[in-house]
Amino acid sequence: EGDGNVIVSDCLISTASGNYVGGAIGIVHYYASATLNEVGIENCVITASGYYVGGAIGIVYYYASATLNEVWVENCVVRGSTGVGGLIGSVYGETSASASTATLTKCQSIRETIVGSNGVGGMVGRVVNSDCLTTECLTSQSIVRGGTNVGGVVGLWSYTA
């Protein structure tokens, strides 16, 4: 749990052949819960050749939950293939019965370059069979670019029964 003005700055966070890369956490998985309070990630390159890359968290997966309070990602490049987001790459459940949850409050994605092929978003790349609540969040002066399912807040929001 991050608490109180934690800064990740001027770094390269990368995997050459894998998935699950985040500026603070790669994966929150299987009933786990993560809370980030007042965490800043700035002037970083966060990249993977694979899936689920986020400025703060790569993926919240399979019954997991993440709470982000006053988290900001600024002047970063976030790059991957599927599920790429300024703050979270993906919030994912295999089915609605295994849903994950993300809550973002007063978070910011500022002057980022966010690039992927599918499910690319200024805040969250993909939300699949899961819940994501954003309150008082901001995406500003960012470039969000992808092949399909691209959005300023969320790239893809999908539910399968």
Side-chain angles (χ1 to χ4, degrees):
E1 177 175 322
D3 190 17
N5 294 321
V6 174
I7 304 276
V8 177
S9 182
D10 302 305
C11 58
L12 169 64
I13 301 168
S14 176
T15 178
S17 61
N19 305 319
Y20 318 129
V21 177
I25 299 172
I27 183 171
V28 181
H29 185 257
Y30 202 62
Y31 295 101
S33 176
T35 300
L36 298 175
N37 291 314
E38 298 179 24
V39 174
I41 295 115
E42 57 189 29
N43 306 317
C44 293
V45 175
I46 303 160
T47 184
S49 60
Y51 302 140
Y52 314 125
V53 182
I57 297 175
I59 186 171
V60 181
Y61 180 68
Y62 202 73
Y63 298 108
S65 66
T67 302
L68 282 67
N69 298 304
E70 297 185 45
V71 172
W72 69 95
V73 180
E74 186 171 357
N75 292 324
C76 291
V77 174
V78 182
R79 183 182 308 121
S81 63
T82 297
V84 182
L87 291 166
I88 299 176
S90 186
V91 182
Y92 190 84
E94 293 290 334
T95 67
S96 60
S98 62
S100 293
T101 303
T103 304
L104 290 74
T105 305
K106 296 183 180 177
C107 294
Q108 298 181 16
S109 171
I110 301 171
R111 288 183 297 282
E112 287 193 87
T113 300
I114 306 157
V115 180
S117 59
N118 181 8
V120 183
M123 289 276 166
V124 180
R126 299 176 69 210
V127 179
V128 178
N129 295 323
S130 294
D131 298 312
C132 184
L133 173 66
T134 60
T135 305
E136 297 182 51
C137 294
L138 169 72
T139 298
S140 176
Q141 302 174 17
S142 294
I143 297 167
V144 182
R145 186 174 60 224
T148 58
N149 303 311
V150 180
V153 177
V154 176
L156 169 71
W157 201 311
S158 166
Y159 174 82
T160 4

